Amino acid sequence: MDPIIAATHADPYPYYAQLRAQGGLVFHEGLQLWVASSAKAVAAVLAHAECHVRPTHEPVPKAIASGMAGKVFRQLMRMNEGERQRCPRSAIQPGLTMIDEDEITALVGARWVSPDADGLYKAMFRGPVCVVAALLGFTPAQGRAVSELTADFVACLSPLSDQAQLDAAHAAAEQLSGYFIELLDDPDNQSALLAGIRQRFAATSSDSDAMIANLIGLLSQTYEATAGMIGNALLALIQNPRWLNDSINIDDLVAETQRFDPSVQNTRRFVAAPCEIEGVSLQPGDVILVLLASANRDPQLNDQPDTFMLERAQRQSFTFGAGRHQCPGQRLALNIASATLTRILALKPALDRLTWHYRPSLNGRIPLFSQDTLLVTSG
């Protein structure tokens, strides 16, 4: 076991506890990087000005730097510091916090969910992107196309992708950009979300490419993180089948799932200048693996952290990050996940018939379900 393999291990949490016991910020000889595992260390790293989201010498991964996916990546607020992070965030975040929950529920409810494992996959991965696409003003047909392209684009974010996947990601980035150019040129677009984003972007920048790149980024962040929340909440129900008979609050289920078994297990920070964190001297070029999932289970952050508590008071979590790079779409993602789970459970799924494995990933914990029989129960 190591802190990267742990992300897709059946139960990484005892191992995370061992790491915390060794110290909040320690060097891992095998991986040749620092590991932040305690809530205190994770908070300190995420807040530190010299801990950047990308290495100074490689702002874009070499594997995609020369293509369209790299061009998009270079402009994503989540992959930048300073003004290139603050300006897009100030344009996009306000609108995401004002989206009406009933509108999300209606958009999720309008999508057909077929009663089989393939339908479950589409509800987890494609459905959330279709919802965001609709909020931006795409038609249902355009939303389906955009969701398929987003599935191809996210491959550029994973170092596990092969060349064929990277080629598809470049092509998807090109096509997604085209879709957004047409959307922004459409005089009949009635999206209040898009109108607000455009207005706030115009106040700080005339760079339409940066706006389009970050709209693509909004779709890509929705794709995997929301799918993981939905999938891990279903795993919680599989492990606690009595909850299905207890009319549990789905919002509570999703909120506790994202703390207890988060879809994003870790992230990385790259030291840009000499600094000291938690008594540890760090040098430029040092890499820190930030174990968000471990921090969520730190008893210094949450009481009884290894107990899944639906009605948890003062729940705290690092799943969506913290500080300047905290995910701006947290509320939207939680609402989409809750509405989608409600839609899935309305089909009365036979969860005990599902088998699953975790999608290969260095930082994500996303279950993929399969089965030979229908998802719904008979009778």
Side-chain angles (χ1 to χ4, degrees), residues 1-248:
M1 178 81 85
D2 68 39
I4 294 177
I5 293 172
T8 53
H9 188 271
D11 183 11
Y13 300 104
Y15 172 68
Y16 290 155
Q18 293 174 15
L19 291 177
R20 291 195 302 273
Q22 294 170 14
L25 182 60
V26 298
F27 192 75
H28 192 286
E29 290 291 346
L31 298 175
Q32 287 293 294
L33 47 68
W34 294 91
V35 177
S37 58
S38 69
K40 187 177 180 182
V42 165
V45 171
L46 294 179
H48 204 287
E50 300 301 342
C51 294
H52 292 188
V53 289
R54 291 294 304 166
T56 303
H57 68 279
E58 192 180 356
V60 179
K62 293 177 183 177
I64 62 170
S66 61
M68 185 61 183
K71 180 181 177 181
V72 171
F73 187 101
R74 186 183 303 275
Q75 299 177 89
L76 293 175
M77 59 181 170
R78 61 182 286 207
M79 298 301 177
N80 278 282
E81 304 291 341
E83 289 301 303
R84 291 170 66 90
Q85 185 266 335
R86 287 191 294 270
C87 290
R89 185 183 181 91
S90 66
I92 291 177
Q93 183 175 18
L96 300 182
T97 63
M98 295 186 290
I99 297 171
D100 184 70
E101 290 184 34
D102 291 338
E103 184 177 7
I104 294 173
T105 300
L107 289 170
V108 170
R111 287 186 51 78
W112 167 249
V113 179
S114 60
D116 54 24
D118 181 61
L120 182 55
Y121 176 89
K122 290 177 179 176
M124 286 172 56
F125 287 91
R126 304 299 175 83
V129 177
C130 286
V131 169
V132 175
L135 291 169
L136 291 169
F138 285 113
T139 66
Q142 290 172 329
R144 288 190 290 273
V146 163
S147 73
E148 292 174 3
L149 291 170
T150 301
D152 287 337
F153 173 75
V154 296
C156 82
L157 305 175
S158 172
L160 298 180
S161 295
D162 59 28
Q163 190 57 51
Q165 290 172 306
L166 295 179
D167 290 343
H170 288 306
E174 193 79 53
Q175 292 178 71
L176 284 169
S177 181
Y179 268 104
F180 275 112
I181 289 172
E182 292 180 3
L183 186 71
L184 291 165
D185 286 342
D186 182 1
D188 297 323
N189 186 294
Q190 301 295 313
S191 167
L193 174 61
L194 186 63
I197 290 172
R198 293 184 72 168
Q199 182 180 25
R200 288 184 291 272
F201 251 105
T204 59
S205 172
S206 59
D207 188 352
S208 61
D209 287 347
M211 177 170 62
I212 289 172
N214 281 284
L215 289 170
I216 294 173
L218 175 61
L219 298 179
S220 66
Q221 282 192 276
T222 299
Y223 180 82
E224 288 190 324
T226 308
M229 275 197 292
I230 296 166
N232 291 331
L234 287 171
L235 291 184
L237 290 173
I238 290 171
Q239 293 157 7
N240 300 274
R242 68 185 187 282
W243 290 348
L244 288 169
N245 300 319
D246 292 344
S247 299
I248 63 168

Side-chain angles (χ1 to χ4, degrees), residues 258-279:
Q258 63 82 26
R259 180 204 70 84
F260 185 83
D261 194 23
S263 55
V264 180
Q265 293 274 298
N266 67 66
T267 188
R268 297 190 187 214
R269 289 295 185 267
F270 303 86
V271 179
C275 60
E276 183 175 302
I277 299 177
E278 293 297 292

